[in-house]
Protein backbone atom coordinates (compact mmCIF):
# COMPACT_ATOMS: atom_id res chain seq x y z
CA UNK A 1 0.00 0.00 0.00
CA UNK A 2 3.02 2.30 0.25
CA UNK A 3 2.74 2.94 -3.48
CA UNK A 4 -0.67 4.50 -2.91
CA UNK A 5 0.68 6.67 -0.11
CA UNK A 6 3.59 7.87 -2.25
CA UNK A 7 1.27 8.68 -5.15
CA UNK A 8 -0.95 10.66 -2.81
CA UNK A 9 1.96 12.56 -1.28
CA UNK A 10 3.55 13.43 -4.62
CA UNK A 11 0.20 14.58 -6.01
CA UNK A 12 -0.83 16.56 -2.92
CA UNK A 13 0.34 19.94 -4.22
CA UNK A 14 -1.04 19.43 -7.72
CA UNK A 15 -4.67 18.58 -6.91
CA UNK A 16 -5.82 22.16 -7.43
CA UNK A 17 -2.80 23.29 -9.42
CA UNK A 18 -2.51 20.74 -12.20
CA UNK A 19 0.60 20.40 -14.30
CA UNK A 20 0.69 18.78 -17.71
CA UNK A 21 4.22 17.49 -17.71
CA UNK A 22 6.22 14.58 -16.31
CA UNK A 23 9.14 16.91 -15.57
CA UNK A 24 8.85 17.89 -11.91
CA UNK A 25 10.69 17.29 -8.65
CA UNK A 26 9.27 14.07 -7.22
CA UNK A 27 9.72 14.80 -3.50
CA UNK A 28 9.54 18.32 -2.12
CA UNK A 29 9.39 19.86 1.35
CA UNK A 30 5.85 21.19 0.95
CA UNK A 31 4.32 17.80 0.17
CA UNK A 32 2.15 15.97 2.67
CA UNK A 33 -0.17 13.00 2.89
CA UNK A 34 -3.89 13.68 2.50
CA UNK A 35 -7.19 11.97 3.23
CA UNK A 36 -6.28 9.40 0.56
CA UNK A 37 -3.41 8.05 2.66
CA UNK A 38 -5.34 8.29 5.92
CA UNK A 39 -8.20 6.16 4.63
CA UNK A 40 -5.80 3.73 2.93
CA UNK A 41 -4.18 3.22 6.33
CA UNK A 42 -7.63 2.74 7.84
CA UNK A 43 -8.27 -0.06 5.33
CA UNK A 44 -4.95 -1.64 6.27
CA UNK A 45 -5.78 -1.65 9.97
CA UNK A 46 -9.20 -3.17 9.24
CA UNK A 47 -7.53 -6.01 7.37
CA UNK A 48 -5.13 -6.57 10.25
CA UNK A 49 -7.62 -6.34 13.10
CA UNK A 50 -10.99 -7.32 11.60
CA UNK A 51 -14.40 -5.92 12.46
CA UNK A 52 -16.55 -3.39 10.64
CA UNK A 53 -14.62 -1.39 8.07
CA UNK A 54 -16.90 1.64 8.53
CA UNK A 55 -15.70 1.91 12.14
CA UNK A 56 -12.12 2.31 10.92
CA UNK A 57 -13.00 4.99 8.39
CA UNK A 58 -14.90 6.90 11.06
CA UNK A 59 -12.06 6.53 13.56
CA UNK A 60 -9.31 7.65 11.20
CA UNK A 61 -11.29 10.56 9.75
CA UNK A 62 -12.37 11.74 13.20
CA UNK A 63 -8.81 11.64 14.51
CA UNK A 64 -7.50 13.42 11.41
CA UNK A 65 -10.22 15.97 10.59
CA UNK A 66 -8.20 18.42 8.50
CA UNK A 67 -5.57 16.70 6.37
CA UNK A 68 -4.04 18.52 3.44
CA UNK A 69 -6.59 18.37 0.63
CA UNK A 70 -9.50 17.62 2.95
CA UNK A 71 -12.22 15.00 2.76
CA UNK A 72 -15.00 15.06 0.20
CA UNK A 73 -18.16 16.91 1.19
CA UNK A 74 -20.42 13.87 1.18
CA UNK A 75 -17.91 11.89 3.20
CA UNK A 76 -17.73 14.69 5.79
CA UNK A 77 -21.50 14.54 6.14
CA UNK A 78 -21.23 10.76 6.54
CA UNK A 79 -18.64 11.24 9.30
CA UNK A 80 -21.02 13.51 11.21
CA UNK A 81 -23.91 11.06 10.82
CA UNK A 82 -21.77 8.04 11.64
CA UNK A 83 -20.47 9.69 14.80
CA UNK A 84 -24.11 9.77 15.95
CA UNK A 85 -24.64 6.13 15.04
CA UNK A 86 -26.16 6.60 11.57
CA UNK A 87 -23.77 4.77 9.24
CA UNK A 88 -25.90 4.29 6.13
CA UNK A 89 -24.00 4.64 2.82
CA UNK A 90 -24.76 7.58 0.56
CA UNK A 91 -24.74 6.03 -2.93
CA UNK A 92 -21.52 7.71 -3.99
CA UNK A 93 -19.63 6.87 -7.17
CA UNK A 94 -16.73 9.12 -6.12
CA UNK A 95 -13.18 7.86 -6.45
CA UNK A 96 -12.75 7.72 -2.68
CA UNK A 97 -13.63 4.04 -2.78
CA UNK A 98 -10.76 3.33 -5.20
CA UNK A 99 -8.20 5.54 -3.48
CA UNK A 100 -8.38 3.62 -0.17
CA UNK A 101 -8.62 0.04 -1.47
CA UNK A 102 -5.01 -0.88 -2.29
CA UNK A 103 -4.38 -2.92 0.89
CA UNK A 104 -7.17 -5.27 -0.17
CA UNK A 105 -5.22 -6.16 -3.30
CA UNK A 106 -2.39 -7.50 -1.15
CA UNK A 107 -4.32 -9.33 1.54
CA UNK A 108 -6.09 -12.25 -0.16
CA UNK A 109 -5.13 -15.34 -2.10
CA UNK A 110 -7.92 -15.46 -4.67
CA UNK A 111 -9.43 -13.03 -7.14
CA UNK A 112 -12.90 -13.84 -5.84
CA UNK A 113 -12.04 -12.95 -2.24
CA UNK A 114 -10.23 -9.83 -3.36
CA UNK A 115 -13.31 -8.63 -5.23
CA UNK A 116 -15.58 -9.50 -2.31
CA UNK A 117 -13.52 -7.55 0.19
CA UNK A 118 -13.02 -4.62 -2.18
CA UNK A 119 -16.79 -4.37 -2.40
CA UNK A 120 -17.07 -4.51 1.37
CA UNK A 121 -14.52 -1.74 1.73
CA UNK A 122 -16.46 0.44 -0.71
CA UNK A 123 -20.11 -0.13 0.03
CA UNK A 124 -20.18 1.22 3.59
CA UNK A 125 -20.06 4.66 1.94
CA UNK A 126 -19.75 4.29 -1.85
CA UNK A 127 -22.55 1.83 -2.58
CA UNK A 128 -23.27 3.18 -6.07
CA UNK A 129 -22.43 0.46 -8.64
CA UNK A 130 -19.69 2.63 -10.14
CA UNK A 131 -18.20 3.28 -6.70
CA UNK A 132 -18.00 -0.44 -6.03
CA UNK A 133 -16.68 -1.15 -9.53
CA UNK A 134 -13.85 1.37 -9.16
CA UNK A 135 -12.68 -0.22 -5.91
CA UNK A 136 -12.92 -3.73 -7.32
CA UNK A 137 -11.08 -2.89 -10.54
CA UNK A 138 -8.23 -1.25 -8.61
CA UNK A 139 -7.90 -4.13 -6.15
CA UNK A 140 -8.04 -6.70 -8.95
CA UNK A 141 -5.21 -4.97 -10.82
CA UNK A 142 -3.06 -5.13 -7.68
CA UNK A 143 -3.96 -8.76 -7.00
CA UNK A 144 -3.15 -9.79 -10.58
CA UNK A 145 0.07 -7.77 -10.75
CA UNK A 146 1.48 -9.14 -7.49
CA UNK A 147 0.74 -12.64 -8.74
CA UNK A 148 2.76 -12.09 -11.90
CA UNK A 149 0.07 -11.33 -14.48
CA UNK A 150 1.31 -9.60 -17.63
CA UNK A 151 0.13 -6.07 -18.37
CA UNK A 152 -1.83 -7.28 -21.39
CA UNK A 153 -3.60 -9.84 -19.21
CA UNK A 154 -4.52 -7.18 -16.64
CA UNK A 155 -5.75 -4.81 -19.33
CA UNK A 156 -7.89 -7.55 -20.87
CA UNK A 157 -9.38 -8.57 -17.51
CA UNK A 158 -10.28 -5.01 -16.52
CA UNK A 159 -11.93 -4.35 -19.87
CA UNK A 160 -13.83 -7.64 -19.77
CA UNK A 161 -14.92 -7.57 -16.13
CA UNK A 162 -15.59 -3.87 -15.64
CA UNK A 163 -16.09 -2.39 -19.08
CA UNK A 164 -13.41 0.27 -18.72
CA UNK A 165 -11.91 1.57 -21.95
CA UNK A 166 -8.14 1.24 -21.59
CA UNK A 167 -7.25 1.80 -25.24
CA UNK A 168 -5.88 5.34 -24.90
CA UNK A 169 -2.27 6.10 -24.03
CA UNK A 170 -1.12 8.57 -21.39
CA UNK A 171 0.06 10.94 -24.11
CA UNK A 172 -3.41 10.84 -25.65
CA UNK A 173 -5.15 11.39 -22.33
CA UNK A 174 -3.00 14.28 -21.09
CA UNK A 175 -4.22 17.10 -23.40
CA UNK A 176 -7.85 15.98 -23.14
CA UNK A 177 -8.21 15.39 -19.39
CA UNK A 178 -9.14 17.63 -16.45
CA UNK A 179 -11.29 17.77 -13.32
CA UNK A 180 -14.23 17.73 -15.76
CA UNK A 181 -13.16 14.32 -17.03
CA UNK A 182 -12.11 13.38 -20.54
CA UNK A 183 -12.87 16.10 -23.10
CA UNK A 184 -14.79 18.03 -20.44
CA UNK A 185 -17.45 15.35 -20.18
CA UNK A 186 -18.38 13.94 -16.77
CA UNK A 187 -16.50 14.36 -13.51
CA UNK A 188 -12.89 13.51 -12.90
CA UNK A 189 -13.56 12.91 -9.20
CA UNK A 190 -15.78 9.90 -9.90
CA UNK A 191 -14.57 6.34 -10.25
CA UNK A 192 -15.73 6.13 -13.85
CA UNK A 193 -13.98 9.44 -14.58
CA UNK A 194 -10.61 8.66 -13.02
CA UNK A 195 -10.01 4.96 -12.32
CA UNK A 196 -9.56 3.95 -16.00
CA UNK A 197 -7.09 6.80 -16.48
CA UNK A 198 -5.18 5.82 -13.32
CA UNK A 199 -4.95 2.21 -14.48
CA UNK A 200 -3.58 3.34 -17.85
CA UNK A 201 -0.99 5.50 -16.09
CA UNK A 202 0.26 2.40 -14.27
CA UNK A 203 0.16 0.03 -17.22
CA UNK A 204 1.85 2.46 -19.63
CA UNK A 205 4.83 3.07 -17.34
CA UNK A 206 8.28 1.52 -17.38
CA UNK A 207 8.77 1.56 -13.61
CA UNK A 208 7.20 2.85 -10.38
CA UNK A 209 8.42 6.42 -10.63
CA UNK A 210 7.37 6.68 -14.27
CA UNK A 211 3.86 5.57 -13.29
CA UNK A 212 3.60 8.31 -10.65
CA UNK A 213 4.85 10.88 -13.15
CA UNK A 214 2.24 9.66 -15.65
CA UNK A 215 -0.51 10.09 -13.06
CA UNK A 216 0.44 13.61 -12.04
CA UNK A 217 0.98 14.70 -15.64
CA UNK A 218 -2.58 14.06 -16.81
CA UNK A 219 -4.06 16.55 -14.32
CA UNK A 220 -7.47 16.30 -12.69
CA UNK A 221 -7.71 14.95 -9.15
CA UNK A 222 -3.95 14.57 -8.97
CA UNK A 223 -3.45 13.20 -5.47
CA UNK A 224 -6.17 10.57 -5.88
CA UNK A 225 -5.11 9.54 -9.38
CA UNK A 226 -1.57 9.32 -8.03
CA UNK A 227 -2.81 7.21 -5.14
CA UNK A 228 -4.70 4.74 -7.34
CA UNK A 229 -1.89 4.56 -9.88
CA UNK A 230 0.73 4.16 -7.18
CA UNK A 231 -1.06 1.23 -5.61
CA UNK A 232 -1.13 -0.64 -8.90
CA UNK A 233 2.40 0.39 -9.89
CA UNK A 234 3.77 -0.91 -6.60
CA UNK A 235 2.48 -4.39 -7.44
CA UNK A 236 3.66 -4.17 -11.05
CA UNK A 237 7.18 -2.85 -10.56
CA UNK A 238 8.05 -2.71 -6.87
CA UNK A 239 9.32 0.44 -5.17
CA UNK A 240 13.03 1.32 -5.08
CA UNK A 241 14.37 1.44 -1.54
CA UNK A 242 15.27 5.15 -1.60
CA UNK A 243 11.85 6.11 -3.00
CA UNK A 244 10.15 3.96 -0.37
CA UNK A 245 12.13 5.55 2.47
CA UNK A 246 11.46 9.09 1.25
CA UNK A 247 7.74 8.35 0.95
CA UNK A 248 7.21 6.81 4.38
CA UNK A 249 9.35 9.59 5.82
CA UNK A 250 6.37 11.94 5.45
CA UNK A 251 4.30 9.76 7.80
CA UNK A 252 4.21 10.04 11.60
CA UNK A 253 5.57 7.16 13.64
CA UNK A 254 2.20 5.54 14.32
CA UNK A 255 1.47 5.30 10.58
CA UNK A 256 4.94 4.00 9.77
CA UNK A 257 4.44 1.32 12.41
CA UNK A 258 1.13 0.33 10.83
CA UNK A 259 2.83 0.07 7.44
CA UNK A 260 5.46 -2.23 8.96
CA UNK A 261 2.82 -4.44 10.57
CA UNK A 262 0.91 -4.71 7.32
CA UNK A 263 3.99 -5.56 5.27
CA UNK A 264 5.17 -8.12 7.80
CA UNK A 265 1.88 -9.96 7.34
CA UNK A 266 1.18 -9.42 3.64
CA UNK A 267 4.59 -8.79 2.07
CA UNK A 268 6.86 -5.93 1.04
CA UNK A 269 7.22 -4.29 -2.36
CA UNK A 270 10.68 -2.81 -1.84
CA UNK A 271 13.21 -3.66 -4.54
Amino acid sequence: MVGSIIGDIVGSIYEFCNIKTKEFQLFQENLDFTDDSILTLATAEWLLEGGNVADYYLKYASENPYPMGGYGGMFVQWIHRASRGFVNPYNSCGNGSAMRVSPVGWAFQSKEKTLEMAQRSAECTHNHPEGIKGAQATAMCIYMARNGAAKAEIREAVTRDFGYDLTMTVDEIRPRYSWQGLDGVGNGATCQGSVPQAIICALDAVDFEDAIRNAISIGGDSDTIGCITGGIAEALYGIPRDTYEKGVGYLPDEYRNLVCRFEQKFGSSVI
Side-chain angles (χ1 to χ4, degrees):
M1 66 173 170
V2 173
S4 295
I5 293 170
I6 292 172
D8 171 45
I9 289 169
V10 173
S12 62
I13 60 171
Y14 300 114
E15 180 179 10
F16 301 112
C17 186
N18 288 171
I19 56 173
K20 292 286 188 175
T21 178
K22 294 172 67 171
E23 301 301 320
F24 57 89
Q25 184 178 343
L26 197 67
F27 291 110
Q28 305 175 46
E29 290 185 2
N30 56 339
L31 301 177
D32 203 352
F33 61 91
T34 80
D35 56 316
D36 300 45
S37 293
I38 289 169
L39 296 181
T40 296
L41 290 158
T43 302
E45 186 172 347
W46 165 59
L47 294 172
L48 287 168
E49 304 295 341
N52 183 353
V53 65
D55 293 339
Y56 291 91
Y57 295 145
L58 174 60
K59 170 191 170 185
Y60 272 68
S62 298
E63 293 176 354
N64 301 275
Y66 303 112
M68 183 177 178
Y71 299 99
M74 294 176 69
F75 184 75
V76 170
Q77 294 177 33
W78 179 84
I79 294 168
H80 293 320
R81 292 194 305 271
S83 66
R84 300 193 301 272
F86 302 100
V87 291
N88 291 334
Y90 48 92
N91 198 40
S92 175
C93 62
N95 55 18
S97 61
M99 78 185 189
R100 68 194 188 201
V101 78
S102 66
V104 173
W106 289 91
F108 301 100
Q109 300 307 311
S110 73
K111 174 182 171 181
E112 292 73 23
K113 190 66 174 179
T114 299
L115 295 177
E116 174 192 340
M117 299 305 282
Q119 176 171 343
R120 189 178 300 181
S121 77
E123 64 187 1
C124 62
T125 53
H126 294 59
N127 59 325
H128 187 285
E130 292 290 347
I132 293 171
K133 185 166 78 170
Q136 288 183 318
T138 302
M140 187 185 78
C141 286
I142 295 168
Y143 169 80
M144 293 183 68
R146 75 176 177 85
N147 282 286
K151 292 181 184 180
E153 185 181 353
I154 296 171
R155 194 184 300 268
E156 180 182 356
V158 170
T159 302
R160 180 189 66 240
D161 295 352
F162 300 103
Y164 287 154
D165 181 1
L166 305 182
T167 58
M168 295 182 68
T169 66
V170 172
D171 287 342
E172 290 170 333
I173 292 170
R174 189 178 298 112
R176 299 170 54 184
Y177 189 74
S178 70
W179 270 91
Q180 285 71 49
L182 194 66
D183 295 329
V185 178
N187 186 332
T190 62
C191 280
Q192 60 270 36
S194 59
V195 173
Q197 289 77 22
I199 294 172
I200 291 170
C201 286
L203 294 178
D204 279 9
V206 298
D207 56 24
F208 178 80
E209 181 175 328
D210 191 48
I212 299 300
R213 292 185 181 280
N214 280 343
I216 304 308
S217 76
I218 68 171
D221 190 1
S222 293
D223 61 328
T224 299
I225 295 173
C227 184
I228 297 168
T229 297
I232 299 168
E234 173 184 8
L236 279 169
Y237 310 109
I239 305 175
R241 169 64 67 181
D242 61 337
T243 302
Y244 178 99
E245 295 295 345
K246 288 176 183 176
V248 298
Y250 287 87
L251 300 177
D253 288 345
E254 62 181 301
Y255 288 167
R256 288 199 295 270
N257 290 338
L258 176 57
V259 168
C260 289
R261 288 175 54 212
F262 185 86
E263 292 184 340
Q264 285 171 358
K265 182 169 184 178
F266 298 114
S268 173
S269 62
V270 180
I271 56 174

